[in-house]
Amino acid sequence: MSENKKQNYLNHPKGLMSWILTLDHKRIGLMYLVSGILFFFLGGLLALVMRFELAAPGNDVISNEVYNNAYTLHGAIMIFLFIIPAIPGALGNILLPLMVGAKDVAFPRLNLASFYIYSFGALFAMYTIINGGVDTGWTFYTPYSTQSSSNVVPMTLGIFIIGFSSILTGLNFIATIHKMRIPGLTWYKLPLFVWALYGTSLVQITATPVLAITMVLLMLERFLGIGIFDPALGGDPVLYQHFFWFYSHPAVYIMILPAFGIISEIIPVHSRKKIWGYKFIAYSTLSIAFIGFLVWGHHMFTSGQSVFSQIVFSFITYFVGIPTGVKIFSWILTMYKGQVSFTPPMMYALAFLFLFTIGGLTGIFLGAVALDIHLHDTYFVVAHFHYVMQGGTIVAFLGGLHHWWPKSFGVMYNQTVANIAALGVFIGFNGTFFPQFLLGLRGMPRRYATYDEQFVELHSYSTFWSGILGLSIFLAIMNLFWSFIRKNKVDPGSNPWGGMSLEWTHTSSPPHPHNFEEEPVLQHGPYDYDKVIVEKTYNK
Amino acid sequence: MSEHHITPLKTYLIIASLLLFLSGVTVWVSYVDLGPLNIVVAMLVATVKASLVAFFFMHLLWDDKKNLTLFLMSLMFFGIFVTITLLDTEFRGDLGLNPEVKNPINNRAAFYDTLPLTDTHGHPVDGHSDDHDKDKDHH
């Protein structure tokens, strides 16, 4: 038995081939995590280069052409190589089977194939960088993208391929959630992270094919001269934007829904209180996923689309605020009268609540047509989506990493350092992006390498804090990986935060290669803090 | 859990001949000019054929209804995409700012005929470019 206890998915089986050909969801999740974090650093580095260029007006650090490449690659890498694959691919893969009590995902081989398809697509993106970059912006708008001499084709081909990985992961998760739950684990007893992954997967399999179609149409026009988007050939450039945003707006929810799921796990566990409004949070996930399909035109208010559709899109956009508000208020009510402990995951969850709310509310500004015509393509938009994507998704991702780190890897990081890093992320983030709201309101357009004198103060302020933000994220990630070197192991049976879902109560840390040593039997729901007392156990 | 439905060979043959017949209809109808209805009829026949394949050859009719729901969802999302996009393309210029409400795409494209000719690097190749620059200055 003691022999058996030491055996976990990290040390058994051994050897390089056992990793390359692994079918274990936890190992595949770990591979996604490592590659995701590498791309996160690459994208972050590009962001810092841009910020240093923008510290003063004029071309001081890089030329206009390099700047165009930098913002395109920053966007494409962060979205297509990090955020979209990383949270479902890494945390979703590691946790979903554990949370539903399964030995693995429904299709383990397909899961490994998804990872290699993702890697193959990433190679094309890397080729683009080595071959001189691409300068169209991550949206690849026509007509420029059909004419630009930069590497539009390899980049779009890479995104096309990565899309398939996304679809297959989504398919796998849906089958797992439907078919692999242990007896008694009904839909309303699932952890909310599972609901979030379910909503995300639905969006992945319904929206991503449209991205693939868009990329194919773009290539058909470039190579064969078939008129789809080029008016001279009888096409319509705005049609490209319809195609692109029909995928890319739901993709925003592919990015944010798993983050909502993480927050729904962290807050009740670290407040030791039953989640408020379980069913409302679960159904708001599905309604966000659905409404997300009806609002894509709010990215196109200045594209020349008809006023009638402007009104329709603007009107429907406001509906997104309802399920999102339901979630935010439910999380706040969950904390009310709970035993809130300021552990690193909770610090990130609190930062998320603050930052995401700002991101969401400024989205309502931008959803109003009249105001958007003024703010479109300014730094206001840049600040808004960074508050959602970084302040929301990446902060939640960091929170989730800290929350499940001892579970996934059996080691505990230095919590004081982690808290300092979390505070640094929060302050650095606000320092970087809040001035950008003001810049946008004063008319600073996005995607320019230089600017007028009047913007110097706010830009240099933003650049200064972006350095603090970069250092804090670096510190947070290094602190996590340092825990392997510190060898501060947690006891295999420990439950450091007192979590109640299956991954905390029924499997060791790090988990056994087959997840559970015996078939788990469900004793309580994931948030039953009002019924059962779960001790926090930690060997220190 | 779920049992596989065994379809009699007769059903397959009936569906197959129905598909062949509908292929014939597609060919036949292409010789008849129905005006704007051409595309509608062609799509309708194609949709019926695809549905027959999905329901009988792919067993959707006898399968778990969840799969049918997913299939119908994909049609619904496609419908949403096309319908809402048409709200744009069919209503361009609906504020009366542009008189050419009909055929908006072709009318907009006509603008490109008035632009000065340029080579692939964007350099002007005839005398029109000077007028164009003057216009720019006025704005």
Side-chain angles (χ1 to χ4, degrees):
Chain A
M1 187 66 190
S2 64
E3 177 93 355
N4 206 15
K5 267 210 161 168
K6 279 181 194 158
Q7 210 181 67
N8 63 55
Y9 79 99
L10 293 169
N11 62 24
H12 180 85
K14 283 190 193 322
L16 185 65
M17 289 312 279
S18 78
W19 281 88
I20 293 175
L21 297 176
T22 182
L23 301 179
D24 186 336
H25 66 98
K26 303 177 288 299
R27 288 190 167 193
I28 295 169
L30 182 55
M31 296 197 289
Y32 268 114
L33 182 67
V34 172
S35 39
I37 285 176
L38 284 177
F39 286 119
F40 181 36
F41 271 118
L42 188 60
L45 214 60
L46 287 163
L48 287 175
V49 169
M50 281 188 284
R51 276 309 334 156
F52 280 105
E53 164 59 34
L54 291 167
N59 294 108
D60 315 303
V61 186
I62 49 176
S63 65
N64 291 338
E65 287 73 28
V66 176
Y67 186 85
N68 290 346
N69 282 301
Y71 73 68
T72 303
L73 291 171
H74 167 72
I77 288 173
M78 285 297 196
I79 289 171
F80 295 114
L81 296 174
F82 171 54
I83 299 180
I84 290 182
I87 299 187
L91 289 178
N93 251 323
I94 295 176
L95 294 166
L96 173 63
L98 294 173
M99 283 179 163
V100 300
K103 283 183 182 166
D104 209 312
V105 290
F107 310 110
R109 278 171 213 282
L110 196 65
N111 200 15
L112 184 66
S114 304
F115 177 74
Y116 282 115
I117 294 169
Y118 160 72
S119 312
F120 186 60
L123 283 181
F124 279 87
M126 291 302 101
Y127 167 79
T128 309
I129 296 177
I130 297 164
N131 200 31
V134 56
D135 62 354
T136 59
W138 77 277
T139 51
F140 308 106
Y141 272 8
T142 55
Y144 183 63
S145 60
T146 49
Q147 293 157 8
S148 165
S149 56
S150 66
N151 294 291
V152 176
V153 172
M155 197 65 189
T156 47
L157 199 60
I159 290 168
F160 176 80
I161 295 167
I162 292 171
F164 282 98
S165 151
S166 207
I167 294 169
L168 295 179
T169 304
L171 198 67
N172 218 338
F173 284 2
I174 288 177
T176 309
I177 297 168
H178 272 284
K179 292 287 176 194
M180 310 285 282
R181 286 173 285 135
I182 53 167
L185 189 59
T186 54
W187 282 88
Y188 294 134
K189 284 184 184 161
L190 284 174
L192 286 163
F193 184 61
V194 176
W195 274 94
L197 285 176
Y198 189 72
T200 310
S201 304
L202 283 179
V203 181
Q204 277 177 327
I205 60 168
T206 38
T208 317
V210 181
L211 177 75
I213 295 166
T214 315
M215 296 297 147
V216 168
L217 291 176
L218 195 64
M219 285 187 248
L220 285 179
E221 180 159 309
R222 266 188 88 111
F223 290 131
L224 305 177
I226 296 172
I228 297 158
F229 307 125
D230 182 358
L233 300 167
D236 179 0
V238 179
L239 187 64
Y240 175 84
Q241 299 188 23
H242 280 293
F243 267 97
F244 183 81
W245 288 111
F246 186 78
Y247 163 74
S248 290
H249 192 78
V252 171
Y253 300 108
I254 297 179
M255 298 185 247
I256 197 70
L257 284 178
F260 288 162
I262 292 170
I263 300 302
S264 302
E265 294 302 315
I266 293 177
I267 288 182
V269 171
H270 295 264
S271 308
R272 295 185 74 72
K273 187 155 166 268
K274 191 184 181 84
I275 189 111
W276 178 273
Y278 178 95
K279 283 188 187 176
F280 271 86
I281 295 184
Y283 282 117
S284 66
T285 301
L286 296 187
S287 50
I288 288 174
F290 180 69
I291 298 170
F293 275 97
L294 307 175
V295 298
W296 75 86
H298 66 217
H299 296 270
M300 302 163 54
F301 285 157
T302 60
S303 69
Q305 67 176 338
S306 76
V307 174
F308 181 50
S309 55
Q310 313 259 53
I311 294 166
V312 171
F313 280 127
S314 181
F315 181 72
I316 307 175
T317 297
Y318 294 134
F319 280 93
V320 183
I322 298 169
T324 316
V326 165
K327 281 180 190 289
I328 299 272
F329 286 120
S330 297
W331 292 324
I332 292 171
L333 285 170
T334 305
M335 286 188 290
Y336 178 65
K337 288 197 174 179
Q339 296 173 37
V340 179
S341 43
F342 293 94
T343 51
M346 194 62 184
M347 295 286 275
Y348 282 107
L350 293 172
F352 171 95
L353 283 182
F354 191 86
L355 300 175
F356 179 77
T357 303
I358 293 180
L361 289 176
T362 50
I364 296 176
F365 292 28
L366 293 168
V369 183
L371 198 52
D372 183 75
I373 287 173
H374 178 68
L375 295 173
H376 186 84
D377 267 352
T378 67
Y379 264 68
F380 192 90
V381 177
V382 177
H384 156 70
F385 70 71
H386 279 94
Y387 264 89
V388 175
M389 291 292 102
Q390 193 183 353
T393 307
I394 294 178
V395 163
F397 174 68
L398 287 170
L401 271 186
H402 283 82
H403 183 64
W404 284 294
W405 194 264
K407 169 51 61 190
S408 309
F409 307 114
V411 282
M412 184 54 108
Y413 45 84
N414 183 327
Q415 295 195 42
T416 316
V417 176
N419 272 341
I420 292 168
L423 204 63
V425 169
F426 180 72
I427 296 169
F429 179 84
N430 281 305
T432 308
F433 290 103
F434 202 82
Q436 298 190 2
F437 281 125
L438 305 176
L439 280 168
L441 283 169
R442 292 173 193 183
M444 170 75 206
R446 68 192 278 204
R447 295 181 168 164
Y448 279 76
T450 182
Y451 49 85
D452 290 343
E453 285 293 332
Q454 54 181 333
F455 299 123
V456 173
E457 200 181 330
L458 287 169
H459 262 307
S460 51
Y461 192 74
S462 177
T463 297
F464 169 76
W465 285 105
S466 72
I468 305 286
L469 174 62
L471 283 176
S472 305
I473 293 177
F474 187 73
L475 179 66
I477 304 270
M478 282 305 117
N479 181 40
L480 286 175
F481 283 103
W482 189 251
S483 63
F484 287 119
I485 298 167
R486 279 172 81 217
K487 291 209 170 102
N488 182 12
K489 288 192 176 162
V490 295
D491 188 66
S494 68
N495 185 356
W497 319 120
M500 293 191 101
S501 40
L502 288 174
E503 87 274 21
W504 294 111
T505 51
H506 282 74
T507 181
S508 54
S509 315
H512 188 266
H514 298 294
N515 290 355
F516 303 97
E517 284 173 41
E518 52 203 49
E519 176 102 344
V521 179
L522 197 69
Q523 284 141 349
H524 46 70
Y527 311 107
D528 285 346
Y529 288 100
D530 53 344
K531 292 185 190 135
V532 188
I533 294 170
V534 176
E535 293 293 324
K536 291 184 191 180
T537 50
Y538 179 43
N539 60 346
K540 257 181 129 180
Chain B
M1 227 167 58
S2 61
E3 284 173 39
H4 278 284
H5 179 86
I6 300 185
T7 320
L9 186 65
K10 202 174 141 195
T11 315
Y12 281 135
L13 289 176
I14 292 172
I15 299 301
S17 44
L18 210 56
L19 287 171
L20 281 172
F21 170 73
L22 285 170
S23 297
V25 170
T26 309
V27 175
W28 171 73
V29 88
S30 70
Y31 290 103
V32 186
D33 188 16
L34 299 170
L37 285 177
N38 277 336
I39 184 91
V40 178
V41 173
M43 293 300 280
L44 204 68
V45 175
T47 310
V48 172
K49 282 168 73 180
S51 308
L52 285 175
V53 172
F55 278 108
F56 293 95
F57 289 165
M58 296 169 83
H59 289 228
L60 207 54
L61 191 62
W62 303 285
D63 217 345
D64 192 334
K65 290 292 171 272
K66 263 183 235 146
N67 295 334
L68 180 64
T69 316
L70 277 177
F71 175 70
L72 292 177
M73 257 173 68
S74 67
L75 287 182
M76 184 189 75
F77 279 111
F78 180 70
I80 288 172
F81 179 46
V82 173
T83 315
I84 304 189
T85 302
L86 286 174
L87 289 185
D88 168 27
T89 51
E90 291 302 303
F91 290 86
R92 292 258 173 94
D94 51 359
L95 268 192
L97 297 172
N98 298 298
E100 75 279 9
V101 177
K102 281 189 178 168
N103 286 328
I105 295 167
N106 286 336
N107 281 320
R108 293 279 167 92
F111 158 77
Y112 287 86
D113 297 332
T114 66
L115 284 181
L117 288 173
T118 54
D119 63 17
T120 48
H121 300 289
H123 302 304
V125 290
D126 69 355
H128 289 293
S129 57
D130 290 339
D131 302 343
H132 184 63
D133 284 346
K134 255 183 212 164
D135 275 0
K136 242 184 181 174
D137 290 340
H138 282 299
H139 293 298

